[in-house]
Amino acid sequence: MAAEIHSRPQTSRPVLLNKIEGHSDSVNAAVLIPKEDGVITVSEDRTIRVWLKRDSGQYWPSIYHTVSSPCSCMSYHHDSRRIFIGQDNGAVVEFLISEDFNKMNHVKTYPAHQNRVSDMVFSLESEWVVSTGHDKSVSWMCTQSGSMLGRHYFTSWASCLQYDHETQHAFIGDYSGQITLLKLERQTYSTITTLKGHEGSIGALWWDPVQRLLFSGASDHSVIMWDIGGRKGRTLLLQGHHERVQAVRYLQLTRQLVSCSADGGITVWNMDTPREEAPQWLDSDSCQKCEQPFFWNIKQMWDTKTLGLRQHHCRKCGKAVCGKCSSKRSTYPIMGFEFPVRVCDACFDTIKEEDRTPLATFHEGKHNIAHMDMDPSRGLMVTCGSDRIVKIWDMTQVVGCSLATGFSPR
């Protein structure tokens, strides 16, 4: 049965349940342990820690393991209790965690990269560990033999990764703002397409294999939804952050997107509503409203004996306009603009008050959020960042419905 989403007042917000402190450097990743009151963290201080909730309500490290190089990322597979740790020296280290989460044994070390590992995914189906690194590459290695299967290089640092286990497609975001889609196979690969839309480095990706939607967050403060399954190149731009977006998570059950930024902003987007694509910006040598020349249009400036004007763009229609013809600002949530943006005077007059109704809610995490993980079955979220603090949140007030309704997290 489809979940019904009820709108909630802005007072519904994440509830801070616990705060975990003790790291001596940035916490680069934290994941919730399914069906356990536990969290796994990896840090720049070279430690891997498994925190379990005690009877006192506080979290204490049941595992405290130090490795040779700062830990940059991780991939945890709960059913097999296998955990893969990416390191600053380019290696990926695999451990097996005991059933009681009190011991962790080393399994393999993979020479995945020549520089810092930025992200990784373990696929039990193919027995691969796919990883990206600051050596500008994505690599995939066999977890049975420990051998390298393939590698692809980019022109920029590869920053984040998502992987479709069924089709063996990998989405790789990089520091140039591009997302590359690769089809991975043993010993070979093929480039499917490159997605271009961000104006800054890609900070986070999330792939929903059910609706075949890709979500990306970037340093341009925006989130883009790419409709991969629609095969029509449809994209939705979402602007609701003041800083770089570093974590995204789509909740398929409630059709909501959660995104987090470096300034602690937590935005919850309602994606179960009709939305419009933002228009492409049009090129013109003169204002497409009053026809006054822009400052590079020397000929028209000379002919009309006028000074050239600065070019702007209306976010609603995409037309090139001057400042006088676009003096108004408005939100337009249906197109993803939750903050006031420039619109031309004609478009401003067409926007009704109900068109300005927000389609997202905004919350404060009150710490730098470099990484986020969610357990939708329990409505829990964990955030961590450069302030060395890990926070565990109850999100059930925010996401619009009870999530503990037979949903099994992916």
Side-chain angles (χ1 to χ4, degrees):
M1 184 176 70
E4 183 180 356
I5 299 177
H6 302 282
S7 61
R8 290 178 177 266
Q10 184 67 33
T11 52
S12 297
R13 61 183 186 273
V15 176
L16 181 62
L17 299 177
N18 289 91
K19 184 189 295 186
I20 299 175
E21 298 176 295
H23 287 282
S24 60
D25 210 332
S26 300
V27 183
N28 290 320
V31 298
L32 294 159
I33 303 174
K35 303 176 184 177
E36 297 281 346
D37 283 327
V39 178
I40 305 173
T41 61
V42 298
S43 170
E44 207 70 27
D45 64 11
R46 300 187 295 116
T47 63
I48 306 161
R49 310 188 197 195
V50 178
W51 307 79
L52 296 181
K53 189 176 181 180
R54 305 304 185 188
D55 293 339
S56 64
Q58 298 299 310
Y59 282 80
W60 295 92
S62 63
I63 295 176
Y64 183 110
H65 186 85
T66 304
V67 291
S68 59
S69 181
C71 304
S72 52
C73 58
M74 72 167 142
S75 178
Y76 172 62
H77 188 265
H78 180 65
D79 290 342
S80 62
R81 300 189 312 284
R82 296 163 74 178
I83 186 169
F84 297 80
I85 310 297
Q87 296 184 267
D88 190 63
N89 62 10
V92 171
V93 186
E94 178 185 355
F95 294 93
L96 180 64
I97 299 177
S98 63
E99 287 188 31
D100 59 5
F101 294 97
N102 284 313
K103 190 168 62 173
M104 190 169 68
N105 293 319
H106 175 264
V107 179
K108 283 189 184 75
T109 298
Y110 305 86
H113 297 275
Q114 299 298 315
N115 209 323
R116 185 180 180 91
V117 183
S118 55
D119 202 0
M120 79 176 77
V121 174
F122 166 61
S123 172
L124 182 67
E125 292 84 346
S126 55
E127 282 289 349
W128 289 0
V129 56
V130 187
S131 60
T132 54
H134 285 185
D135 58 0
K136 302 180 181 180
S137 77
V138 56
S139 70
W140 51 107
M141 305 189 70
C142 176
T143 54
Q144 294 175 323
S145 65
S147 60
M148 176 75 68
L149 297 176
R151 186 189 299 276
H152 172 74
Y153 283 95
F154 304 92
T155 56
S156 301
W157 280 359
S159 53
C160 50
L161 164 75
Q162 284 286 280
Y163 181 71
D164 186 90
H165 301 273
E166 183 179 348
T167 64
Q168 294 183 315
H169 285 100
F171 301 89
I172 301 98
D174 64 39
Y175 271 73
S176 74
Q178 297 185 10
I179 303 168
T180 303
L181 173 56
L182 300 177
K183 165 68 173 177
L184 306 183
E185 298 179 38
R186 295 187 72 88
Q187 312 298 333
T188 187
Y189 67 91
S190 55
T191 303
I192 306 301
T193 189
T194 302
L195 306 176
K196 301 177 181 179
H198 285 289
E199 297 179 358
S201 59
I202 310 297
L205 293 173
W206 182 263
W207 169 245
D208 175 51
V210 178
Q211 291 186 269
R212 305 196 65 78
L213 301 173
L214 179 70
F215 298 88
S216 57
S219 62
D220 60 7
H221 309 176
S222 70
V223 177
I224 295 180
M225 186 199 84
W226 311 82
D227 186 1
I228 304 298
R231 298 181 179 274
K232 295 180 180 179
R234 181 171 179 259
T235 61
L236 293 177
L237 176 67
L238 304 173
Q239 293 190 332
H241 286 280
H242 296 290
E243 255 292 351
R244 62 185 182 276
V245 181
Q246 302 192 132
V248 291
R249 177 70 182 261
Y250 180 62
L251 306 178
Q252 204 276 330
L253 179 66
T254 60
R255 304 296 195 270
Q256 287 169 294
L257 175 72
V258 181
S259 56
C260 302
S261 53
D263 60 356
I266 301 170
T267 303
V268 181
W269 308 85
N270 178 9
M271 303 304 295
D272 194 30
T273 186
R275 289 182 178 269
E276 296 178 9
E277 287 188 71
Q280 294 291 322
W281 286 1
L282 302 178
D283 293 323
S284 178
D285 291 328
S286 57
C287 175
Q288 293 181 300
K289 294 295 183 180
C290 69
E291 299 184 350
Q292 289 295 303
F294 293 131
F295 63 83
W296 61 81
N297 189 350
I298 305 298
K299 183 179 185 304
Q300 187 178 349
M301 287 166 54
W302 178 264
D303 292 343
T304 59
K305 301 297 188 292
T306 57
L307 290 175
L309 304 175
R310 184 181 174 189
Q311 177 184 260
H312 301 282
H313 284 91
C314 172
R315 300 309 193 267
K316 187 174 186 293
C317 67
K319 288 184 177 179
V321 291
C322 67
K324 185 178 179 181
C325 294
S326 58
S327 60
K328 307 289 179 62
R329 302 290 184 275
S330 176
T331 61
Y332 197 52
I334 195 172
M335 206 172 273
F337 299 117
E338 294 288 341
F339 300 151
V341 293
R342 181 185 296 273
V343 292
C344 67
D345 294 351
C347 283
F348 183 85
D349 293 337
T350 67
I351 300 175
K352 302 173 184 177
E353 195 57 40
E354 56 264 31
D355 295 334
R356 297 186 176 92
T357 303
L359 295 176
T361 58
F362 306 93
H363 315 277
E364 284 296 329
K366 295 183 179 179
H367 77 141
N368 166 266
I369 299 177
H371 185 270
M372 170 265 287
D373 182 45
M374 293 191 71
D375 183 345
S377 65
R378 293 182 289 173
L380 295 178
M381 178 175 75
V382 61
T383 58
C384 63
S386 60
D387 59 359
R388 310 174 187 178
I389 296 174
V390 178
K391 292 185 177 182
I392 301 172
W393 306 86
D394 179 356
M395 295 291 288
T396 54
Q397 291 185 44
V398 182
V399 294
C401 73
S402 174
L403 294 177
T405 53
F407 178 78
S408 176
R410 179 172 157 263

